[in-house]
Each structure stands twice: as C-alpha cells, then as structure tokens.
Amino acid sequence: MAAAVRHCPSRSHNCITRGDGGPGVSCRKQLKQVDTLQDISAKIVAENIPFQRIEQQYDRIPEPVQSKIVFWSFPRNERDIYMYSSYANCYKEHAENQKLPFHQGVRLLDNNAVANVLQIGFHLSGTVTEPSNPLLSQQEKVYKVSISFDRCKITSVQCGCSNKDIFWCQHVVALSLYRIRKAKIVQLRVPISETLLQMSREQLQKFAQYLITEHHSDVLPTAQKIADQILQAESEINMLPGAPDPTAGASVDDDNSWHLDEDQVREQVRTFLSQGGYTGSSTPLHSMFAKVREMLRAKDSNGARMLTLMTEQFLADPRLSLWRTQGTPLTDKCNQFWDELGALWVCVVLNPHSTSQDRALWQKLLKQWVVSPVCPLEDGEGNLLSDIGTRGSFRLRVFSSSSVQNNQRTVLHNALEASDLTWNDTHLQNILASDMYWSANEMGSDNFDSRGLPLWREYIPTACARVDALRSHGYAKEALRLAVAIVRTMKVNLVANSDSWNNIQGTKNAGTCTCSVHVCGRHHTPYNAVGWIGHPLDPIGVLFDTLCEACLVSDDIPQELYSRHLSNENSNESRRRYQHVSIPGAAEHEQTYLTLAYEVALIGLGQQRIMPTGIHCQEKACKQEERLLAKLNTIELDSTLLRVLQAETVLLLEGGSWSGLGVGIHPESYPMHMFAHFLFLKLVTRDEDLAFQVGLRAMRLPILENLDDANMEDSVNNANMLTRFPRWFILSHVESQQCLLASILLEAAKNNIQRLQSVLDCAQRHIHSSSQLFRLAQDTFKIASPPDGPKYLPALKAAFELGLQVMRMTLMTLNWRRREMVRWIVTCATEVGVDALLALMQSWYQYFAPVEASSAVAMTVMSPATMMQLNATYAQQEELAQSARTLALQCAKRDPQNCALCALNLCEKDSMAFETAYQIVLEASNHIMNSSQLFTIARYMKHRGHPSQAFRLALLAMKGLSVAYNQDSHPLISDIHWACALAHSLGRTELASLVPILVKNIQCATVLADILRRCTISAPGMGCLDGKRRTLKLLSYDKVPLKQLMDQTILAYVHTAHSRLSHISPRHYADFIDFLTKARETFLLAHDGHIQFSQLIENMKLAYKGKKKLMFLIHERFGL
C-alpha cells in the first residue's frame, strides 16, 4: 500500500544514553563544528529523494557525493529504533521492560558485542555476539545481522536468531544503534554496482570466480543458472538493461516505509484473541493499540498499516459469528477493543496530510468492513434490541452519505463518515495556522464572537474528532488552537441557551412551569438527543486532554499514549501536576488553557442527555463520566478555578432544559448524581449554599418518580416511558450513586437542623429503592453516632425517619434483608430514646408484620439490655411495658399462630393481660392454630406454673390430632406422651377425660401400649397442687379409665397384625415375629389377654394358612 512520506528530524546525535529516563533524550556532547554545505545538502537528499531518481537525473555522480548521500541515508534518531523494538508507554525504570529488545540491544552494544560492521551502499551488515549464560546452559552465539535502509528508514531486517515477533530483535537493535552512535568508524562503501563499474573484464571474472569459490556450496547452482541465462541472447536477463543491486537502495516505485512484519502482526493478534484476549490478560493488545497511536503521532505510515492488519484479524475472530448467531452480547472487554478500533480509524481517515490515494483506500476498506455481518454494532447489542428507535444516534455528522439507521450502525461507521470530511475550509485553516487569528468586527458573526475571537461551529463530536486526529498525528499546536475555538463556541452556545430559557421563563404567566420532568403538557426547551459523555468518540475527553496537555508542569512524567476507551491500570494520571498557561490573544486575562479544560469538562458533565440504549452504551457513559471526574480531581482547585466552578455551576442551575441541573428535565434524562457529588465536595467548604442547591437539585431520578393522577394519561400514552424503563441496565448503579450523594449531603448538614430536614425530605421523595434507602439510613446512623464522639440527635432522628420509610416500603414485599432491617430500626429507635420506641410500638402495624412486632420489636424493647441502655425511669419502663403488652395482644389477635406465645410471655406480669392472651389462644384453637402450636403453648403454660390451663390446651391439641396405625414415628408422639403425663399428674379425672380422645384419634398400637404402661408406673394425682389429700393408688388395667385404653390397644394390635399380613414378604417375617412378641406382652396385661392372643394366632392360621413358613415360625416362638 502507498505510504505517506514520514517526516524525520535532521539530528544526528539524538540518542539514548545509559542511565537516562527514556527514548529520545539527547546525549550531552560538546559543541561540534557547523556542517558543510555538502553535508547539509546530502542530509536533505538522503532523507527525501530516492537514490534511483538521482542516478536517473545525473549521468555521473562523484563518489564522494555518493558516499555522503549513502552515509546520511541511515536513520539518525534512536527514537525510531525504540519505536520498533519495544511497546509504547514502557520506560527504563520498570524492571520488566528491561527484557524488551531495545534495552537488551543497548546492553549488547555497551558490552561490545557488535563487530564486523560494514556498510555497502544502502545495506548494513555485522555480527552480534550473544554472551553465554551458565545458569541456562546457553553457550555463546554469534548472529549475522543485515539491514537495508532507504531515506532514513530501515526497510528490511534479517537476523540469524530467527526472531518471531512484531518487534525487531535485540541484535538488529544493537547493530542499528552501533551505526547511529559510531557512524564515523563504520566502514563505508558505495553500492557494489559502482565498484563493479570500476573493474576491468579480468577483474570482474576474478571477482565472480572468487565469490563462487568462497560460497560454492550455497551459490554454485544459482551461479550456473544465471550464467546459462546470460549466454542465451533472448533470455529475460538480457532483455532488461542493467542488473539488480541490493546495496543501491530502493527504486522510485518502492514503498518507502519502516520495516513491519505484517505476518507477525497478524499472528500476534490472532494468538491474543485465541488465548482469551477478550477475557484474560489483555496487556499485549493494549500495547499494540498504543503502538499504533505512537506511530500515528510520529507520522509513520505503518500506523495505518498495523491498524488495518489488526482490524482484519478482529473481524476474522470466529467467536464474533458465534455470538451473533446465538444472540449473545459482546463482553465488556471486547466492546472496549472495538471502540478503540473505531476511534483509531476516525483519527486515521482524518489525517489532514494524508494523500487522496490513502483516503480512497481507507474508505474502500471501511465500506467492506461495515457491511460484514460480524462487525459489532455501535450500541454493543443492537442485534438483541432491534426494535429500539433511532433516537440518540451517535452519528459523527448530522447528514452523511454514509449514514445508516441507528440500529444498523457498526463501530466503524463513524470512521466511514469521517472519511468524507475535508480540511479545505478557509476559516478552519486560519484557526489552525495561528494563535492570533481574529476579527476586527465587534458585532460578531457566525465565525467570530463579539470580541472578534474565532469560533468553530461544527457538530461537536465531529469537531472534536478533528482535534483528536490532529493530536494523534503529532499536530499538537493545531489541535490546541482548534480545541480553544470549539470550547469558546460551546460557551457562547451555553450562554445563548441560558438567555433563551430565561426569556421564555420571563414571558410566561403566573402558571410558570416548575416541574422536574416534562409531563406537565407545557412547552419545554428541547433536550439534547445525543450526549457528549458516552459518545463513542468521547468528544469532551478529547477537548479536556488536549487542553490539559498544554498545562503540564513536570517534564519528568513522559507523555503516554493510553486510550480513553481501554481500562488503563498503569496510567500515571494521578501524578501529573498542572499550571495555568495563558491563551495567546485571549480577551479575558484570567482565561488559561486550564480554565478552558475545567469549563469544558463541567459543560459536558452538566449537559442534559437522554440515557442511551443498550447496556454497553450505558456502561460506557458511566465510565467516561467516572474517568473525567477522576481527572478533574487531580487538578488543584485554586482561586481562579473556583471562580470558574462557581460561575459554571450557577449557569447550569439556571440553564433550563439544556442543563441536566436545570429546572425541567426529560423523564429519561441521564442522572447527575456523580457530577453533583463532585461539585458538592468542591463547593461545600467554599460556597455552602451553592453546594446544597446543586446537591438537592441533582437528587431527582425522574424515571422512577411517581406521577400524579392528572399526568397519568400522558405517561401511559408515552410509549417510550413504558418501554425504556426495563432498558435502564445500570439502574442499580444509578441508585447507588444517588444514595451516595444523599449520604454526603446528610453528613454535611448534620449540624444544621433546617438544612438537615431539607435533605431528609429530598431523600425520602426521590430515593425509591428500599435497599438504597436502608443503606442511607445506616450511613446516617453511623454519622450521627460516632464511636469516639458525641451523638448528633437531629441526624439520629433523620436516620430513624429513613428507617421507618424503609419499613413501610418493605412491609408487603419480599426482601431478604427484612430481618436485618427490623433489628436495625429497633437499635436506631433505642439510640433516639424512649419516645421513638413508644412511637414504634404504638404504630407497629404501619411498619411490621405481627410476628416481627411481637418477637423482634416488643421482646427486644423489653429485654434487660435495652432497659439498661435506655437508663429509663420506672415510669418510662412501665409505659414501655404497657405499650409492649398492648402490641403483643394486638399481634396475637391478628396472628395467633405466630404471636400467641410472645404475647403470653410479654403479658405474664399482668394477670389481666395474661388471661386475655390465653383466651385469644383458646378462641384460635378451633380453626386457626394446629396441634403442634397448641402443644408448644401448653408446654409453656405448664413451665410457667399453669398446669390446668396447660391441660386444657393439651386436650384441644389432642382433639385436632390423628395418628394412623403405621405412624409410630409421628412428629408429635413426644407431645402426646407429655399430655398423658400431664393428665396423669393432675389426677384420675383429668386422665379419664383424656382417654376417650386418645382412643378416638390414635390407632397406632405401639403408641397406645406405651401410654398404657406409663399410666401404671405411678399413682395419678402426684402433680396436683390444690392442697387436697388423696389416696395414692396405682391404676388397674381392668378398671376405668385404663380399661377403655386397654381394649383399644388390643384392638389396634389385632388390626395392625392383619394389615401387615396382607402384604407381608418373607424378608419381613422376623420383624413381624418381633411385633407379635411386643403385642403379646400387652395382651397379657389384661386378665383374659392370653385367650385373646391365642384367638389372634388361630385366626391368622386360618386366614393365612398358605404362609407355612411364617406359621411355623409363629408356632416355634409362641407354641401355638
């Protein structure tokens, strides 16, 4: 491909020395003599004119002149060698970077490893000795290196080490640096063809034969082939004049560009992508992108070549097709890489000094790429959201022949549209040419402001793309001039918009709109459809970086080539320091490049913009905002910048719907929480009123605001309102930032009750996420009760109010943090005081479910630890206790299943309240509470010394219980035994009342037998506490109340035996025999039990006579 001529400085001693900080630092040498006219001319010719053209123009060139041209044709700047032998943004102090080829080559040169250096024409050769390494068992090796060059560019390299990398090996570096640093001692010969012209026929024959003899094993077949062709009169060799000479330099038609191994570039990108370049470590890819930027800045045509190769490999990645087929969105890292590709291509095609051939080639490639089915779309997932309209399109230009529908735009469409732009505008050329370009017309015009300073009225992203292109191609001054004109234009437009808004507000009647969202039906100033923050080309970031670069203080921080689209963990942005640099010709004496940078950042961040579609675009907007705010935070806010900050903040607050901080904003406007957080922290110690005005204004989140009934119809008819909300993919992040802003506002207002109330009202009105509101309440609580300082009671009350709102919001919803919230609100109320606890319990139904109120709230309030913490008086304790009892009874009435036990516990010290709670349990026993719950309460009553009430509850529990014949492991068996033991302890009467219920509801023979035996262990009535004397006699199985229980137990054994025999298998015979053994023990307790057991056996023999083995086992065991 055609390459643009690369400008190369004519400095012969610009080199890197041992111990300096990076490439391109000039060696300190003594003053040298002025170059001769011949040397000066030879330098210019060697750098710009192909040697072939010189030969064609002059019949004879003196050998001294040839030697001078050949001498100066080798590169003279070590920075060029560094560019092709190390990554960008690598500096010598980093130990890891010492492994890069450039630094290894420097060490080889310093260790005198370079020898046999010979320059013949435009060809340099030599040997480089790699020292031995005993640790790695590597022996010393000598590598032959050859380099071809033309017009101060190395056009090809060869080394015996067979290096496979996009960078030149350390041996090529060592030889190149040797030639630059020790050019005077390198043997120099004119091209070999010139030497051959001076030989006679005999000398030429001797030369050829000696050459063949020296290398006969390698060149003899080739020599014979060439000799045969020469002897044939009609051969191709004889038809062409002259003969090739590898040392004579490139021809006029050859591409004059630095050597770049295209195959290795492709292989490197392919390898990185196949090894997880989208998911794993992406440092090599980052460095390759930085290398492209480095080449562009050096005006090296290989920048575009390398970018072309990388783009082709990205498009060839098979995962793109797979993801598109599956409908899977690209990963975040993948989107970042594609954003960087798109931005770099915009810079490439906007090169102001590119040739028409280059632009045509780039446009042709871009047209092919944008129609590729795998080329990613601009929003990152347009294939998934194809139904989204074209609102918010990120077109580079408003009108373009290359434009397409927004949902079909790829990441490369901006570059394709940029390829149609030109630099021919006279006004633009004048802006770029001089700092002192201005107009004497004081009335102003489209091209100049009222002070005569130039403006550049172009679509902002397009204009900023020009700035980025100029800066990327090394035209820093021109980029700075255009950036100043653009920011000046933005400021003029901002003031005009503000004045227009104020005029509109002034002409309205008394019904002036003050709504926070556009739902009132009145006319509003149009909002900005395309946001500058979040735009694929990051126009605000471009302007800010360009202006700040002119204000850097320290020269010891090298200029970096990191991208604004890739995550740069190693950026040294935080170490940079800035100073004010005056703008030439500026009308305001305080206006500097730094103030302009600050202003444009504030303007861009404060612009009202619609939330973009797609998760990638939304995340990109967040990251650009965070990155720009982080850069702003590195700039020290002096008095000059403070005045800028105050003025811009006021302008944004009064800017109407153009501003995101204006009065009326669109419901889908991008939130200003992060920006307001920055403004608040900068202003609160300097202009507190303005800081709070900004913070309170920015708290709103219109997309979640509740609309009143009058406006409901508008919102329902607004299709965008209904369809956009689910696509706020970063809503959780937005709400988190909103909560953070509210937190710092509350902290700053903790000493001002009026301001604190304003912030509290604002937070309660605008924060709609219960989790974020709870987080805010917790933060406020921590602020109000520092561990090592006094409490701030107003702030504590604010935390309590927020907590109450959280409780209301989560009362009827499922929230996994609900239990934590309940515990916290009780803790917070305890810190506030008795009144807060009383209010919490008296209005419990607004905040808690009955089980929460009775257990977590009332029980915690009445705990000794809480009382000790409150240091309450006796009257306060009684008041709290009365409220807790009232709460407990109310909860038990609403939810007796879960609250009755707590109610009984809390009311225990008040007999009337305790009886009321007991009656609630009795009323709920018939249809609400189950047997398990009743047993639990009965056990509690027995434990608390109320056996009669406990027995009554146990009877009610038994009535609702049913145990089948085979449920010998029923979960309530222990409760049944407990109830029987309770009845037995109370006396014969209680036991007699329980037995009929047992007989009716329990069919399990083993359970009945166990109960039967337990009732005869001791006499009934042993636990009676009525003080009456009783005759303590053991109960008889043949008399009531056990007679009925005995009969039911025997009947249960008979039924169970027959039931088991109906489906018994031989492997269960042994278990059945054991069952009969236990049954016999129970049968024998009755006076005629042995007869009944014998009858049972006889009936089984008759009914199951086919089971001979079983009958034999029964006979063997029982003898029946």
Side-chain angles (χ1 to χ4, degrees):
M1 59 182 288
V5 176
R6 181 181 180 282
H7 176 73
C8 185
S10 300
R11 294 193 298 269
S12 59
H13 297 287
N14 191 2
C15 61
I16 302 174
T17 62
R18 291 170 289 177
D20 60 17
V25 180
S26 299
C27 297
R28 295 185 178 180
K29 294 193 176 184
Q30 295 180 350
L31 294 176
K32 60 178 182 178
Q33 295 181 350
V34 178
D35 289 337
T36 64
L37 182 60
Q38 186 183 54
D39 281 322
I40 295 173
S41 302
K43 285 182 180 181
I44 296 174
V45 170
E47 187 172 352
N48 298 285
I49 302 176
F51 192 71
Q52 183 187 22
R53 180 168 297 169
I54 300 173
E55 291 179 318
Q56 292 173 347
Q57 188 166 353
Y58 302 99
D59 294 336
R60 182 178 178 278
I61 305 173
E63 185 172 331
V65 175
Q66 289 191 44
S67 298
K68 286 290 185 181
I69 295 175
V70 169
F71 177 83
W72 291 114
S73 291
F74 196 84
R76 310 160 204 168
N77 196 331
E78 290 188 15
R79 184 183 294 275
D80 298 319
I81 310 302
Y82 181 87
M83 180 184 297
Y84 284 90
S85 56
S86 62
Y87 287 117
N89 304 325
C90 294
Y91 305 103
K92 201 165 184 180
E93 63 267 18
H94 298 157
E96 189 66 23
N97 296 335
Q98 293 299 310
K99 300 178 182 179
L100 292 173
F102 181 84
H103 297 295
Q104 292 183 358
V106 171
R107 287 196 296 272
L108 289 172
L109 178 61
D110 291 342
N111 294 331
N112 298 318
V114 182
N116 304 319
V117 181
L118 175 64
Q119 179 180 342
I120 303 176
F122 298 88
H123 184 273
L124 181 70
S125 62
T127 60
V128 179
T129 304
E130 191 77 50
S132 60
N133 190 336
L135 295 177
L136 301 178
S137 301
Q138 294 178 351
Q139 298 180 351
E140 182 180 276
K141 293 184 178 180
V142 179
Y143 297 103
K144 293 182 179 181
V145 183
S146 62
I147 298 174
S148 296
F149 53 92
D150 177 47
R151 282 168 277 177
C152 297
K153 296 177 184 176
I154 293 177
T155 55
S156 69
V157 298
Q158 288 184 344
C159 180
C161 69
S162 302
N163 174 61
K164 298 294 183 183
D165 199 349
I166 60 173
F167 296 134
W168 302 341
C169 66
Q170 63 267 31
H171 313 113
V172 172
V173 172
L175 181 59
S176 302
L177 295 180
Y178 185 97
R179 171 59 177 78
I180 293 174
R181 296 184 181 182
K182 303 179 180 181
K184 297 296 184 181
I185 64 174
V186 173
Q187 296 185 53
L188 178 63
R189 300 288 187 273
V190 295
I192 192 68
S193 56
E194 294 295 326
T195 304
L196 295 177
L197 285 174
Q198 301 174 15
M199 296 183 183
S200 63
R201 180 187 179 285
E202 181 179 355
Q203 289 174 322
L204 286 171
Q205 182 174 1
K206 184 177 292 187
F207 171 80
Q209 290 183 221
Y210 269 98
L211 182 62
I212 293 171
T213 302
E214 187 73 20
H215 302 284
H216 66 278
S217 60
D218 297 326
V219 305
L220 190 57
T222 304
Q224 185 60 54
K225 176 182 176 182
I226 295 174
D228 293 341
Q229 292 179 353
I230 291 176
L231 293 175
Q232 296 176 6
E234 301 298 327
S235 67
E236 183 178 359
I237 289 180
N238 288 326
M239 300 296 294
L240 295 174
D245 181 1
T247 66
S251 66
V252 176
D253 300 327
D254 287 345
D255 182 24
N256 178 235
S257 60
W258 288 84
H259 172 71
L260 179 68
D261 194 331
E262 297 186 356
D263 292 336
Q264 282 303 312
V265 173
R266 295 189 186 96
E267 184 60 30
Q268 291 282 346
V269 178
R270 189 184 306 117
T271 300
F272 293 145
L273 294 179
S274 63
Q275 292 179 352
Y278 288 153
T279 56
S281 175
S282 55
T283 301
L285 281 176
H286 283 220
S287 298
M288 292 184 74
F289 280 118
K291 180 59 65 176
V292 172
R293 288 191 174 274
E294 184 182 10
M295 291 177 173
L296 293 179
R297 180 159 293 193
K299 303 180 180 67
D300 189 336
S301 60
N302 279 339
R305 287 177 60 197
M306 188 169 176
L307 186 61
T308 301
L309 299 171
M310 293 174 67
T311 306
E312 290 172 347
Q313 291 308 305
F314 269 86
L315 285 170
D317 189 349
R319 283 174 296 183
L320 290 178
S321 178
L322 179 63
W323 289 338
R324 177 62 66 93
T325 303
Q326 296 175 343
T328 304
L330 275 65
T331 64
D332 181 60
K333 190 173 291 187
C334 179
N335 279 318
Q336 288 183 22
F337 286 140
W338 278 102
D339 286 343
E340 177 68 354
L341 279 174
L344 280 172
W345 272 114
V346 171
C347 292
V348 167
V349 300
L350 279 178
N351 182 358
H353 292 91
S354 60
T355 64
S356 58
Q357 293 85 353
D358 288 339
R359 288 194 296 272
L361 175 61
W362 295 331
Q363 192 172 61
K364 178 181 178 182
L365 288 172
L366 289 167
K367 286 181 178 179
Q368 294 174 358
W369 292 336
V370 296
V371 298
S372 171
V374 298
C375 188
L377 302 184
E378 192 171 62
D379 64 358
E381 51 186 19
N383 54 323
L384 302 178
L385 303 173
S386 58
D387 59 322
I388 298 176
T390 60
R391 187 190 59 182
S393 168
F394 288 131
R395 287 192 177 92
L396 186 65
R397 301 166 67 196
V398 179
F399 303 102
S400 171
S401 61
S402 304
S403 297
V404 296
Q405 292 296 319
N406 187 46
N407 58 358
Q408 297 176 346
R409 289 177 58 82
T410 70
V411 294
L412 298 176
H413 262 94
N414 280 327
L416 180 59
E417 293 170 356
S419 65
D420 293 330
L421 299 176
T422 66
W423 297 83
N424 299 329
D425 186 269
T426 304
H427 180 60
L428 174 61
Q429 292 177 351
N430 290 334
I431 291 175
L432 300 180
S434 173
D435 291 319
M436 306 308 294
Y437 175 52
W438 61 286
S439 171
N441 185 2
E442 297 182 356
M443 298 300 294
S445 64
D446 286 344
N447 290 337
F448 299 91
D449 65 8
S450 58
R451 295 165 297 185
L453 298 176
L455 307 175
W456 180 241
R457 297 186 182 276
E458 189 176 27
Y459 183 52
I460 294 298
T462 305
C464 295
R466 293 182 185 273
V467 174
D468 198 21
L470 288 168
R471 186 165 172 257
S472 297
H473 288 282
Y475 302 102
K477 290 183 179 180
E478 291 82 353
L480 188 61
R481 291 164 183 160
L482 183 57
V484 170
I486 294 171
V487 177
R488 189 182 293 127
T489 307
M490 293 171 68
K491 291 175 61 179
V492 169
N493 293 339
L494 180 59
V495 172
N497 288 332
S498 180
D499 292 342
S500 175
W501 170 260
N502 291 331
N503 291 335
I504 293 174
Q505 295 297 97
T507 57
K508 286 186 177 180
N509 55 23
T512 300
C513 170
T514 58
C515 66
S516 62
V517 296
H518 291 336
V519 294
C520 65
R522 297 187 178 93
H523 177 269
H524 292 79
T525 305
Y527 56 83
N528 306 289
V530 177
W532 298 330
I533 302 295
H535 192 280
L537 301 179
D538 190 13
I540 301 301
V542 168
L543 294 175
F544 182 84
D545 291 345
T546 303
L547 293 165
C548 282
E549 193 174 86
C551 305
L552 281 174
V553 172
S554 180
D555 294 332
D556 58 353
I557 299 178
Q559 186 179 21
E560 293 178 337
L561 296 166
Y562 285 125
S563 163
R564 287 181 297 276
H565 304 278
L566 302 177
S567 300
N568 304 315
E569 298 177 357
N570 299 321
S571 174
N572 59 29
E573 186 72 37
S574 60
R575 294 188 290 127
R576 293 187 172 187
R577 293 181 295 115
Y578 300 95
Q579 63 184 351
H580 286 284
V581 177
S582 299
I583 302 174
E588 301 174 7
H589 70 280
E590 283 193 347
Q591 191 176 80
T592 65
Y593 291 120
L594 194 58
T595 61
L596 277 188
Y598 218 81
E599 285 180 283
V600 76
L602 297 177
I603 292 172
L605 290 166
Q607 178 205 29
Q608 185 192 169
R609 51 197 183 273
I610 302 303
M611 178 67 75
T613 59
I615 184 172
H616 172 57
C617 291
Q618 293 175 17
E619 289 179 345
K620 185 194 302 180
C622 284
K623 290 177 180 178
Q624 285 188 12
E625 183 180 23
E626 290 172 356
R627 191 180 300 121
L628 187 54
L629 288 172
K631 291 178 179 179
L632 280 174
N633 275 317
T634 64
I635 301 176
E636 182 180 355
L637 189 64
D638 57 21
S639 58
T640 302
L641 292 179
L642 176 60
R643 287 190 289 272
V644 170
L645 181 64
Q646 290 173 315
E648 290 298 328
T649 303
V650 171
L651 200 59
L652 288 171
L653 288 171
E654 299 175 352
S657 58
W658 180 92
S659 167
L661 294 173
V663 174
I665 60 173
H666 193 275
E668 300 169 41
S669 179
Y670 187 92
M672 295 284 110
H673 304 135
M674 278 197 292
F675 180 41
H677 188 175
F678 165 81
L679 293 176
F680 184 85
L681 292 178
K682 294 294 183 182
L683 291 169
V684 68
T685 58
R686 300 170 174 91
D687 191 340
E688 189 176 18
D689 291 336
L690 183 59
F692 274 96
Q693 188 179 356
V694 170
L696 293 175
R697 178 73 63 81
M699 275 295 297
R700 59 196 173 185
L701 185 55
I703 192 67
L704 298 182
E705 299 294 339
N706 294 323
L707 305 177
D708 55 34
D709 295 337
N711 295 320
M712 186 59 68
E713 184 177 355
D714 279 346
S715 65
V716 170
N717 293 330
N718 188 348
N720 288 329
M721 184 69 174
L722 297 177
T723 59
R724 280 287 290 146
F725 175 73
R727 297 197 177 101
W728 276 53
F729 299 101
I730 60 169
L731 185 59
S732 60
H733 172 76
V734 168
E735 291 179 312
S736 176
Q737 293 299 322
Q738 183 189 36
C739 176
L740 185 60
L741 174 60
S743 180
I744 65 165
L745 289 172
L746 284 167
E747 182 175 12
K750 63 185 178 183
N751 292 316
N752 188 320
I753 297 177
Q754 183 178 359
R755 185 157 276 164
L756 181 66
Q757 188 61 45
S758 299
V759 176
L760 178 62
D761 293 341
C762 184
Q764 290 179 307
R765 184 169 64 254
H766 291 301
I767 297 180
H768 302 277
S769 167
S770 59
S771 60
Q772 295 299 335
L773 202 62
F774 181 49
R775 173 187 165 194
L776 177 61
Q778 290 177 307
D779 291 346
T780 308
F781 182 78
K782 293 176 182 177
I783 293 168
S785 54
D788 54 352
K791 295 180 181 179
Y792 298 91
L793 188 58
L796 267 177
K797 292 181 178 179
F800 182 61
E801 287 294 327
L802 291 170
L804 292 180
Q805 183 172 349
V806 173
M807 302 313 297
R808 285 192 294 266
M809 293 172 67
T810 58
L811 178 58
M812 304 303 294
T813 60
L814 296 176
N815 192 304
W816 64 275
R817 300 186 67 186
R818 174 70 183 180
R819 184 175 299 178
E820 178 189 358
M821 293 172 178
V822 173
R823 289 196 302 266
W824 181 87
I825 193 67
V826 175
T827 302
C828 184
T830 304
E831 290 289 336
V832 175
V834 174
D835 291 340
L837 289 173
L838 289 172
L840 199 64
M841 291 191 290
Q842 291 168 1
S843 303
W844 68 268
Y845 47 85
Q846 298 181 23
Y847 313 116
F848 308 105
V851 65
E852 295 172 338
S854 59
S855 59
V857 178
M859 295 291 287
T860 304
V861 171
M862 297 310 299
S863 66
T866 302
M867 290 300 173
M868 185 179 296
Q869 183 178 355
L870 286 171
N871 196 21
T873 64
Y874 177 78
Q876 290 176 326
Q877 293 182 26
E878 285 299 309
E879 188 177 7
L880 287 170
Q882 181 59 37
S883 294
R885 286 192 291 268
T886 303
L887 177 152
L889 292 175
Q890 292 172 347
C891 293
K893 194 69 176 176
R894 293 192 181 195
D895 186 6
Q897 294 171 295
N898 297 309
C899 302
L901 188 58
C902 286
L904 289 167
N905 196 343
L906 289 167
C907 297
E908 188 175 357
K909 294 181 180 180
D910 188 315
S911 58
M912 184 178 296
F914 187 81
E915 183 61 27
T916 303
Y918 179 67
Q919 291 300 321
I920 291 173
V921 176
L922 292 178
E923 292 173 5
S925 62
N926 294 328
H927 57 283
I928 297 177
M929 302 184 71
N930 58 38
S931 297
S932 176
Q933 294 164 342
L934 289 171
F935 273 129
T936 301
I937 297 175
R939 284 176 180 266
Y940 169 80
M941 298 294 286
K942 172 66 169 59
H943 178 70
R944 295 312 235 174
H946 304 283
S948 298
Q949 292 91 332
F951 179 68
R952 186 176 180 184
L953 292 174
L955 281 179
L956 293 172
M958 290 297 298
K959 289 179 180 179
L961 185 64
S962 177
V963 181
Y965 75 94
N966 59 350
Q967 288 185 300
D968 52 357
S969 60
H970 193 282
L972 295 182
I973 286 178
S974 62
D975 290 315
I976 296 171
H977 289 313
W978 175 83
C980 293
L982 176 63
H984 185 270
S985 68
L986 292 175
R988 181 187 296 269
T989 303
E990 286 79 5
L991 185 60
S993 64
L994 179 62
V995 168
I997 300 174
L998 289 172
V999 171
K1000 179 181 178 181
N1001 294 342
I1002 299 177
Q1003 287 80 42
C1004 183
T1006 56
V1007 175
L1008 291 171
D1010 198 8
I1011 294 172
L1012 187 64
R1013 287 184 176 84
R1014 293 185 184 204
C1015 288
T1016 59
I1017 294 175
S1018 62
M1022 300 269 308
C1024 186
L1025 302 177
D1026 56 7
K1028 295 181 181 180
R1029 296 186 64 184
R1030 289 181 173 82
T1031 302
L1032 301 178
K1033 295 173 61 177
L1034 296 178
L1035 296 175
S1036 172
Y1037 294 117
D1038 297 328
K1039 296 180 181 180
V1040 293
L1042 296 188
K1043 179 67 170 69
Q1044 186 181 4
L1045 184 59
M1046 170 61 78
D1047 294 341
Q1048 179 63 26
T1049 304
I1050 292 174
L1051 182 61
Y1053 268 118
V1054 172
H1055 288 167
T1056 303
H1058 285 288
S1059 177
R1060 294 182 66 170
L1061 281 171
S1062 64
H1063 57 272
I1064 197 170
S1065 61
R1067 67 176 182 273
H1068 296 140
Y1069 286 171
D1071 293 338
F1072 186 71
I1073 297 299
D1074 293 338
F1075 168 76
L1076 287 179
T1077 303
K1078 294 179 181 178
R1080 183 185 182 187
E1081 294 173 357
T1082 303
F1083 273 67
L1084 293 177
L1085 295 177
H1087 71 281
D1088 59 347
H1090 63 285
I1091 298 174
Q1092 295 187 56
F1093 186 74
S1094 299
Q1095 290 176 351
L1096 174 62
I1097 298 300
E1098 289 300 323
N1099 289 336
M1100 287 192 299
K1101 287 181 179 180
L1102 291 175
Y1104 305 100
K1105 57 184 178 181
K1107 300 182 182 296
K1108 295 180 180 181
K1109 183 177 180 180
L1110 178 60
M1111 296 303 112
F1112 172 78
L1113 293 173
I1114 291 174
H1115 175 73
E1116 186 179 34
R1117 171 68 64 90
F1118 302 109
L1120 298 174

